Amino acid sequence: MRKLLSLPPSLVPHFHEVSGLSRVEYFCTSDPVGHRVGSGGGTVHLLRAAAADAGFHFQTSPTERCIILHAGGQSRRLPAYASVGKILTPMPPLGGEPFGKCLLELQLPLLERIMAQAPDALRCLIVSGDVCISAADALPPIPEADVVCYGIPASPERLSHHGVYAMPKSHPLNLDFMLQKPSLEEQARKADSHNLLLDVGLWLLSERALRLLEKKSTDAQGAIHSYDLYGQFGTALGMHPTAPDADLSDLSVVILPLPEGRFLHFGTSRDLLTSTVLLTSQPNPDLHWVENSDVTSWTLSRENIVTGVPANSWPICLRRGQCVDMTPLTADVNTLPDSSSSKDDSAPCRSASSGGGFALRPYGFDDAFRGPLDSDETSYLGIPMPRWLRAHALMSSEIEGAGDMQSARLFPVLTDEVQMCRLLQWMLSETPDPALKQEYLSCRRLSADEISNKADLCALTAQRMARRRSSFHSEVAFAQLRQQLFDLNPLPLMQPDLAGLDRPVQGSAPLRIDISGGWTDTPPACYYYGGAVVNFAFDIDGQAPIRCTIRPLSAPLIRLRSIDLQAEEEVTTWTQLSDFAHLGSPFTISKAALALAGWLPRFAAVRHASLQHQLCGRGFEVITESRVPAGSGLGTSSILAATVLGTVSQAFGLGWSREEVCHRTLVLEQMLTAGGGWQDQWGGVLPAAKLLSTSSGTDQRPQVRPLCDLLWTHPHLAPCHLLYFTGITRTARQILGEIVKEMFLRVPAQRAQLETMRRRATEMAAFVDECASLSSADNSALDLALEHYGHLVAQNWDDNQRLDAGCNPPAVRAIIGRVSHLCHGLKLPGAGGGGFIYMVAKNTKAAGEIRRILTDNPPAPSARFYEMSLSSGGLTFSSDDPA
């Protein structure tokens, strides 16, 4: 679902870079500068601008279904985030995350749920960008109508400050009329005959309603003028509208109560604090907000907001209601009028921005940044502005732009940290040092509007990332992630039945190669954004290379054997069985799988005195085998875990479905502290090629779309798929750790790259399915299809290297350099770094030449080709008993 955003003009050029959001999915522009258009005119302007952008390809006839978020404006009453726009305001962490999302990310899940449920005729969902609305999981059905709006019950006092829907009690979904900020007396008069609901700003419009909104928002020549969606369009709707309009009288309108609806506003500094208390359920009695700032040497009191303050050792004491923002500026701030700089020889601030210094902006918690500087009604730092000017021996005539607080050049531009401390203390003081007045006046100074226009948003984002890195603790974050997975997806307790194991049970599975979208399935990124991966399952030498066999024993013990690792261990106690939380042991996977099956008390439905008591005089043997080397990049460990879990379920009558086996594999890997995503196990458990996709959230059970297998099975193309073991092995955990750290930090560049990879996975799937229409006898068309497929594989390898440059080490690059000219594309499966190379040769002759080059002069003694073929079975079970 595509999103159209109206943003402050200064944010528009940098939005995608600082947010990491997709240019394909998100379009942004600002309202026309110097021309008020209102929320109605702004909606029309946004739709037109999206349609006019050749790179965005937005359709308006009929209007492409979309979500519109209005997040422009000056943010006068929320100075801390005026520069980045309220929609990108960082939120506190929720649910054990080390760092929080931005406000936009909190808004989207509900908006996307509504659009997914809405009838196709409802084309646009419109919402304000400075609110966070939540609701129950189950939403009411959305009927066909021209306008559908959501409302929530609220107190009369709250209703008196917002738009209000009035519905007859006899027809509670039909709008009678809409009121704007009705008085308590007016509400009382309507209460007996009408239900009153707060307008939360969620409006769904049909194509017809959009065309009428465009008509009301434009003149005869089509030019947009000011028109308000809520105050004008809304008050003209209903059976008895408060402001009738003949053009709109025929629009059908439905008002839906939002179940368990909660409406949190983030339009002011006070809203920021009070709303986040409700959002997080964390008390904040002093109403402090410190973000992207060093305040280790500061003293705070109450109602203090501190943002953007670089590393310092300043002895700052903030009184009640005093707030500080420091914004890095672009270098072109130097085009402002010259002024002399401080004569202090101190070094520049350690966190100086890209050439422009910092704008130092102290302000008051409830300052409205409105009104002339010589008016007692104008507040600054919580006191009348004329009083602040007198205390600092200043006259309003000495401040440029004194006609309005928002345009007044009050805030000094500084690069020296000693001067920053000195002037900050002076501006905050009730009895300032008179000697500093001239120093203040000699500084370059900006208005609040100019700070927003000249803010270096990339430097601000980099500063935030650097501060997050310095406070990030990997082990704590991974522990929280594991706990979150267990808490939000509790596993039912199991009761394994040993009595039914009267003969051996064997499970076998293929391996997988990820050809597009790998990494997007990895927590926490998939929890934040969802994932999409295309992979295919394959056998080696015509056989499934991953196997697990469980067979009964007469002795009361559990014997664990690994054929490929030539290791064996006997387990007779729960203490031995619980020893799985470390990597490197041959039997961590087997022990963890048995634990999840109920052979450990933590996961058991029935309590026993000991493991010996639970075995009841019998035992069993678990034999595992992998026919490829460890560290292959083929999903070996995850697929082995899924195979063991599936075989355990078969042997002990647990009845786990393939989906449950894959989900428990994700849990098992967290138990082993190995991390990892979900695509490996799904890639091996399910046969052939498929697109696996999930939405955001902790319930990562992918939707599965099988894909056409022609590219891998056609006799003309099958020999062109080559799998070569380099002899260079690696453990994915180190690579995984670094990339997952960036996911926890929510680094915008990484987020943008992951979004690109998700999109390319869907494009790969679409192309693979298009191949179903090819004639099996048309070798030319098949060759072209193979060429394009190879290019997509190469593109995925390029994406992986952008995500982690270390995935293609010099030794691997040397191998690739010898054969790349013979390939349409190639890649290292999985995390890279070593293991296998998957190659798409240009033709069978090129495939033969690749085999000759690498066989005649192998890069390592163990290097060799493996014969691969597409798996048609996935994870299967039998009663075969290996030697």
Side-chain angles (χ1 to χ4, degrees):
M1 180 60 60
R2 304 231 275 181
K3 290 90 178 173
L4 314 184
L5 287 73
S6 58
L7 301 173
S10 57
L11 177 58
V12 171
H14 310 289
F15 173 78
H16 294 96
E17 185 174 0
V18 301
S19 69
L21 294 170
S22 164
R23 295 178 185 272
V24 174
E25 186 177 353
Y26 291 83
F27 172 83
C28 59
T29 189
S30 60
D31 288 342
V33 176
H35 178 39
R36 294 180 62 85
V37 292
S39 53
T43 298
V44 174
H45 172 74
L46 190 53
L47 288 167
R48 286 182 174 180
D53 189 301
F56 193 65
H57 306 294
F58 187 77
Q59 174 185 304
T60 55
S61 296
T63 303
E64 181 180 333
R65 300 189 80 219
C66 61
I67 297 171
I68 290 177
L69 296 105
H70 288 298
Q74 296 170 308
S75 298
R76 291 176 182 246
R77 301 188 65 186
L78 188 60
Y81 298 106
S83 299
V84 298
K86 286 179 281 193
I87 202 164
L88 293 185
T89 298
M91 293 286 102
L94 301 172
E97 299 174 6
F99 304 104
K101 304 175 182 178
C102 68
L103 182 56
L104 173 61
E105 292 173 295
L106 293 184
Q107 292 176 311
L108 286 176
L110 175 62
L111 306 184
E112 291 176 330
R113 276 202 292 145
I114 289 173
M115 284 304 287
Q117 185 174 327
D120 187 62
L122 291 167
R123 309 305 293 171
C124 289
L125 174 60
I126 303 174
V127 66
S128 172
D130 63 356
V131 300
C132 180
I133 304 167
S134 60
D137 291 337
L139 298 175
I142 302 174
E144 297 276 0
D146 290 310
V147 181
V148 175
C149 305
Y150 287 91
I152 61 173
S155 67
E157 290 75 14
R158 193 175 190 193
L159 291 176
S160 67
H161 293 90
H162 295 275
V164 175
Y165 305 119
M167 287 73 62
K169 292 193 173 180
S170 57
H171 297 87
L173 299 184
N174 294 343
L175 179 68
D176 198 2
F177 49 84
M178 188 175 181
L179 304 170
Q180 289 297 322
K181 300 180 180 180
S183 66
L184 299 179
E185 294 76 17
E186 186 174 10
Q187 293 180 53
R189 290 196 298 271
K190 307 295 184 186
D192 289 340
S193 56
H194 289 77
N195 295 326
L196 303 180
L197 293 178
L198 173 72
D199 172 19
V200 296
L202 286 175
W203 285 42
L204 283 159
L205 300 186
S206 68
E207 185 73 18
R208 179 172 178 238
L210 284 168
R211 295 299 165 218
L212 287 172
L213 178 64
E214 182 177 29
K215 177 181 178 181
K216 307 306 294 184
S217 302
T218 54
D219 59 23
Q221 287 72 43
I224 298 173
H225 57 70
S226 181
Y227 186 76
D228 189 67
L229 177 68
Y230 307 103
Q232 292 177 273
F233 193 82
T235 55
L237 301 177
M239 295 179 289
H240 301 93
T242 54
D245 185 320
D247 289 333
L248 309 180
S249 60
D250 290 337
L251 289 176
S252 56
V253 186
V254 170
I255 307 299
L256 294 178
L258 196 62
E260 301 178 28
R262 186 171 66 171
F263 174 75
L264 301 177
H265 194 230
F266 290 87
T268 70
S269 296
R270 187 169 294 277
D271 288 338
L272 177 69
L273 274 297
T274 56
S275 291
T276 51
V277 167
L278 295 172
L279 183 67
T280 63
S281 301
Q282 296 294 321
N284 187 0
D286 292 325
L287 292 182
H288 287 167
W289 179 278
V290 178
E291 189 269 324
N292 189 22
S293 295
D294 179 0
V295 294
T296 52
S297 59
W298 295 33
T299 302
L300 308 185
S301 54
R302 283 180 55 82
E303 297 177 346
N304 304 129
I305 297 175
V306 185
T307 49
V309 176
N312 69 88
S313 56
W314 306 336
I316 302 295
C317 295
L318 296 183
R319 297 191 305 277
R320 179 169 184 167
Q322 289 188 329
C323 306
V324 178
D325 172 67
M326 294 185 67
T327 302
L329 303 170
T330 57
D332 68 352
V333 72
N334 293 315
T335 60
L336 293 173
D338 279 343
S339 61
S340 59
S341 61
S342 167
K343 294 181 173 58
D344 194 287
D345 294 328
S346 299
C349 177
R350 289 185 297 275
S351 299
S353 67
S354 54
F358 283 85
L360 174 63
R361 173 167 45 184
Y363 62 96
F365 191 71
D366 290 312
D367 286 355
F369 274 78
R370 192 176 300 279
L373 271 57
D374 56 6
S375 170
D376 284 334
E377 300 301 315
T378 302
S379 174
Y380 180 56
L381 284 166
I383 61 175
M385 186 66 192
R387 176 177 156 189
W388 184 87
L389 290 170
R390 288 192 300 271
H392 291 74
L394 291 168
M395 295 183 294
S396 61
S397 59
E398 296 179 278
I399 308 296
E400 294 180 73
D404 184 67
M405 272 291 295
Q406 186 71 6
S407 59
R409 283 184 167 172
L410 284 164
F411 307 111
V413 177
L414 305 168
T415 59
D416 180 274
E417 69 174 47
V418 173
Q419 188 182 29
M420 289 178 187
C421 176
R422 186 165 59 239
L423 287 183
L424 176 56
Q425 290 175 321
W426 181 80
M427 295 181 77
L428 293 172
S429 175
E430 292 181 319
T431 57
D433 180 355
L436 292 178
K437 170 190 171 181
Q438 192 55 43
E439 182 176 345
Y440 168 77
L441 289 176
S442 68
C443 291
R444 293 186 176 92
R445 282 169 284 118
L446 299 181
S447 68
D449 274 339
E450 288 172 325
I451 291 173
S452 292
N453 291 335
K454 296 180 179 296
D456 189 336
L457 300 183
C458 296
L460 181 64
T461 301
Q463 179 182 327
R464 180 176 291 125
M465 288 299 107
R467 192 166 299 282
R468 287 184 173 185
R469 286 180 190 280
S470 67
S471 63
F472 180 75
H473 300 287
S474 297
E475 293 307 317
V476 173
F478 277 105
Q480 290 175 334
L481 181 67
R482 287 193 293 272
Q483 193 59 50
Q484 184 182 31
L485 178 67
F486 297 145
D487 290 346
L488 298 178
N489 298 280
L491 297 175
L493 301 179
M494 305 309 300
Q495 184 175 353
D497 181 11
L498 183 56
L501 184 64
D502 54 5
R503 60 179 182 170
V505 175
Q506 182 183 87
S508 58
L511 293 169
R512 71 93 189 97
I513 291 178
D514 56 312
I515 54 175
S516 193
W519 287 115
T520 70
D521 65 306
T522 305
C526 61
Y527 293 167
Y528 299 159
Y529 321 122
V533 180
V534 176
N535 64 30
F536 65 85
F538 67 94
D539 294 328
I540 290 178
D541 297 328
Q543 295 182 325
I546 303 296
R547 297 183 181 183
C548 174
T549 302
I550 299 179
R551 61 185 182 187
L553 296 176
S554 57
L557 57 84
I558 300 173
R559 180 182 296 134
L560 306 175
R561 289 174 54 202
S562 170
I563 294 177
D564 52 294
L565 298 178
Q566 297 183 343
E568 182 175 317
E569 180 179 342
E570 291 188 353
V571 173
T572 57
T573 68
W574 284 327
T575 301
Q576 291 174 283
L577 189 60
S578 63
D579 182 27
F580 53 72
H582 65 272
L583 296 178
S585 166
F587 303 116
T588 54
I589 288 174
S590 296
K591 289 180 179 180
L594 292 171
L596 289 173
W599 289 104
L600 205 62
R602 175 184 170 189
F603 301 99
V606 177
R607 295 296 178 182
H608 297 274
S610 65
L611 180 58
Q612 292 294 309
H613 182 266
Q614 188 174 6
L615 288 169
C616 297
R618 300 182 59 194
F620 57 88
E621 184 175 40
V622 180
I623 306 168
T624 57
E625 180 183 11
S626 172
R627 297 189 176 184
V628 295
S632 65
L634 301 175
T636 311
S637 61
S638 298
I639 296 171
L640 176 62
T643 304
V644 174
L645 284 165
T647 310
V648 164
S649 174
Q650 292 285 319
F652 304 124
L654 302 178
W656 294 340
S657 65
R658 285 182 167 186
E659 178 181 304
E660 184 62 23
V661 165
C662 289
H663 177 64
R664 284 179 179 264
T665 302
L666 186 63
V667 174
L668 182 148
E669 292 189 318
Q670 297 301 325
M671 291 167 59
L672 300 184
T673 71
W678 40 255
Q679 69 118 337
D680 291 350
Q681 56 266 32
W682 283 92
V685 166
L686 298 181
K690 56 270 181 190
L691 170 67
L692 306 162
S693 57
T694 64
S695 300
S696 60
T698 57
D699 189 10
Q700 291 289 301
R701 300 171 193 257
Q703 298 289 317
V704 181
R705 185 177 126 202
L707 301 177
C708 170
D709 65 5
L710 181 72
L711 288 169
W712 298 275
T713 58
H714 191 282
H716 183 65
L717 303 180
C720 298
H721 299 268
L722 303 176
L723 186 65
Y724 183 71
F725 179 60
T726 64
I728 304 167
T729 60
R730 88 288 177 269
T731 301
R733 192 170 192 240
Q734 185 174 359
I735 299 173
L736 178 71
E738 287 303 309
I739 291 182
V740 170
K741 178 180 178 180
E742 301 289 290
M743 293 176 181
F744 276 118
L745 293 169
R746 298 180 185 274
V747 175
Q750 188 203 61
R751 175 176 184 172
Q753 184 60 42
L754 289 170
E755 176 58 39
T756 296
M757 295 165 80
R758 276 191 297 274
R759 174 171 52 81
R760 286 179 174 163
T762 61
E763 292 171 353
M764 170 71 87
F767 168 73
V768 170
D769 268 351
E770 286 174 6
C771 293
S773 63
L774 296 177
S775 168
S776 61
D778 189 346
N779 285 351
S780 296
L782 293 172
D783 288 339
L784 288 174
L786 183 72
E787 180 179 4
H788 185 64
Y789 167 75
H791 290 166
L792 294 179
V793 170
Q795 186 180 68
N796 177 247
W797 179 229
D798 288 341
D799 286 339
N800 284 0
Q801 293 176 83
R802 289 189 182 95
L803 202 64
D804 173 31
C807 71
N808 189 9
V812 172
R813 289 201 300 272
I815 301 171
I816 290 174
R818 296 167 60 190
V819 297
S820 59
H821 64 289
L822 298 167
C823 299
H824 287 313
L826 52 76
K827 67 162 295 182
L828 269 65
F836 281 79
I837 302 176
Y838 167 59
M839 293 170 273
V840 183
K842 291 182 176 180
N843 48 51
T844 54
K845 182 179 178 180
E849 182 64 9
I850 292 170
R851 288 178 180 272
R852 184 193 65 78
I853 291 172
L854 295 180
T855 301
D856 288 351
N857 188 16
S862 58
R864 53 163 288 202
F865 282 94
Y866 283 72
E867 303 308 314
M868 60 185 297
S869 58
L870 199 69
S871 168
S872 60
L875 176 61
T876 58
F877 303 99
S878 69
S879 298
D880 294 337
D881 190 5

